[in-house]
Amino acid sequence: MMRRERTGTSGRWGRWTVAALCVTGCGGGSSEPTEGASSTEGASSTEGASSTEGPSTAGTSTTETSTEAPTGTETGTSAPTTSSTETTTTTEDTSTTGPVECKKTVVLMGYWPPTNEMLRPWSTNPEQNPDGWIGENWGGHGYDVYAFFPEFPPDGDPSNDDIGSPGAVGSPDYDLRVDYQATSSDFWRIVDTYQPSILITTSRGGDIGWEVEALEGGHGQDNDGGPAQDWASDGHGMEQWPTEATIEARSWAAISEYRQGNTLPSQLPMKAIVTATSALALTGVQIDENTSGNFLSGFLGLHGVFYNSITPHNVAAGHIHVGFGLPKEHASKLIEATLKTVIEQHPADSVDCAP
């Protein structure tokens, strides 16, 4: 097994070794959310239209009740009663359609291929998924599943473009460009909109086909430059590090607290995932006891488990590295098995509604 390094590397992707490709292309080895997204100043990499659509509210109804004022009783001003007849009260209730439905959701996030390709069936964006969204009550498990990921024009292959160039970072017209500022902004907008009970983040890894990450964060042990300098440069835009002024406040809170050896563990059923995916006999599967690294994979992975730590209704979150050479067809079967395993560990009727 080749070793995946933990720092960024510049140059052409096509000339990298497997180890360097895994680093810069994947980020290294193997409460309740705040109400409203806080504003981010100076985020130079978040231009472009968002492809995120809110969850459907079709079928949701409101409850209205009207009450007639009782005859001969007080309605704000007193009226004398001239009859000895007992006062009667009549109350009329309008019909109701019951309480607002409690939706349970799963959010899947990806970065480089093959992760964006394997997640397409769960995207509600017809440009990214022309075959149609399959996520409604996926598998009859009671969860609606949504997926978000970048696109890499013109050829869909970021590995033949310079790090930091548009072809390697992703199009601004889609979610989760491989950029600290864009990832921070998109991540919090997505989870604030969809309020996931389960959150699985993924990115491209090295030679291990399906690698479940056990920990996130904890970087910068030998660095006195502050949280931003714990992370490798993304090579993109005017600001190439996750600075306090250019990322969302909750992102800054996450990278400020979970650094210099302080980590957050995965909240995925890791052993069950390994059992289910190994049974497919498609690729190597393992749990990585380290972290997702200090590039964008680790940044996205830390966001997922941090969201879990501050969100009472979120019951599972964690990151998976997907081997860069894994065929899309195999990756698709592996993410389906993983998703089914996590959902079965957390049946929808056992999970609290989002607030």
Side-chain angles (χ1 to χ4, degrees):
M1 180 180 70
M2 295 190 179
R3 176 177 173 270
R4 291 196 295 171
E5 316 229 346
R6 303 288 176 179
T7 57
T9 306
S10 60
R12 296 286 297 180
W13 287 38
R15 296 199 296 266
W16 291 354
T17 63
V18 172
L21 171 63
C22 178
V23 170
T24 329
C26 63
S30 44
S31 147
E32 185 172 338
T34 306
E35 292 186 4
S38 56
S39 62
T40 303
E41 298 178 2
S44 60
S45 304
T46 55
E47 72 275 10
S50 162
S51 63
T52 304
E53 299 176 7
S56 172
T57 55
T60 301
S61 58
T62 59
T63 302
E64 297 180 359
T65 303
S66 61
T67 304
E68 284 190 2
T71 305
T73 60
E74 292 187 358
T75 58
T77 57
S78 299
T81 303
T82 57
S83 169
S84 61
T85 305
E86 185 178 342
T87 303
T88 60
T89 302
T90 305
T91 303
E92 226 176 70
D93 289 330
T94 61
S95 62
T96 65
T97 55
V100 175
E101 184 179 1
C102 171
K103 287 285 189 181
K104 311 289 176 64
T105 64
V106 177
V107 165
L108 310 173
M109 296 185 183
Y111 262 157
W112 307 271
T115 65
N116 61 345
E117 298 297 339
M118 74 183 186
L119 297 182
R120 287 195 188 281
W122 292 283
S123 171
T124 59
N125 186 334
E127 294 181 1
Q128 294 183 287
N129 179 25
D131 293 335
W133 179 55
I134 68 168
E136 184 174 9
N137 190 24
W138 183 75
H141 293 290
Y143 287 94
D144 288 347
V145 182
Y146 302 88
F148 306 90
F149 45 84
E151 301 291 351
F152 300 92
D155 59 0
D157 182 6
S159 64
N160 57 18
D161 295 289
D162 291 330
I163 290 302
S165 69
V169 172
S171 168
D173 296 329
Y174 301 95
D175 298 306
L176 297 171
R177 279 183 298 166
V178 188
D179 168 274
Y180 291 115
Q181 287 71 34
T183 293
S184 171
S185 175
D186 289 346
F187 177 89
W188 292 109
R189 172 176 46 77
I190 291 167
V191 297
D192 286 346
T193 300
Y194 289 85
Q195 296 287 305
S197 300
I198 295 170
L199 173 60
I200 304 174
T201 60
T202 68
S203 62
R204 178 162 65 183
D207 55 340
I208 302 299
W210 206 252
E211 191 171 27
V212 186
E213 300 294 342
L215 299 170
E216 300 299 343
H219 311 301
Q221 288 89 337
D222 301 320
N223 169 44
D224 294 327
Q229 295 301 310
D230 294 345
W231 302 87
S233 168
D234 63 22
H236 180 249
M238 295 181 62
E239 183 51 74
Q240 299 180 6
W241 287 269
T243 64
E244 184 175 11
T246 62
I247 62 174
E248 214 265 13
R250 286 170 286 180
S251 296
W252 183 255
I255 68 172
S256 297
E257 181 174 358
Y258 295 99
R259 62 186 299 253
Q260 296 183 327
N262 187 23
T263 59
L264 268 175
S266 173
Q267 297 300 314
L268 296 177
M270 295 185 290
K271 292 181 179 179
I273 290 172
V274 168
T275 298
T277 53
S278 295
L280 299 176
L282 296 173
T283 188
V285 177
Q286 72 176 39
I287 297 173
D288 176 22
E289 298 295 342
N290 295 301
T291 78
S292 299
N294 69 334
F295 194 51
L296 270 299
S297 289
F299 190 71
L300 180 60
L302 178 58
H303 274 65
V305 289
F306 180 74
Y307 176 76
N308 169 269
S309 74
I310 64 172
T311 308
H313 75 270
N314 182 272
V315 294
H319 192 78
I320 295 173
H321 264 118
V322 183
F324 70 91
L326 192 67
K328 170 193 170 183
E329 294 75 17
H330 291 181
S332 297
K333 292 178 180 178
L334 289 159
I335 190 62
E336 287 180 5
T338 296
L339 178 58
K340 183 173 183 288
T341 298
V342 179
I343 287 176
E344 288 178 346
Q345 293 281 322
H346 301 282
D349 58 7
S350 71
V351 175
D352 291 338
C353 296

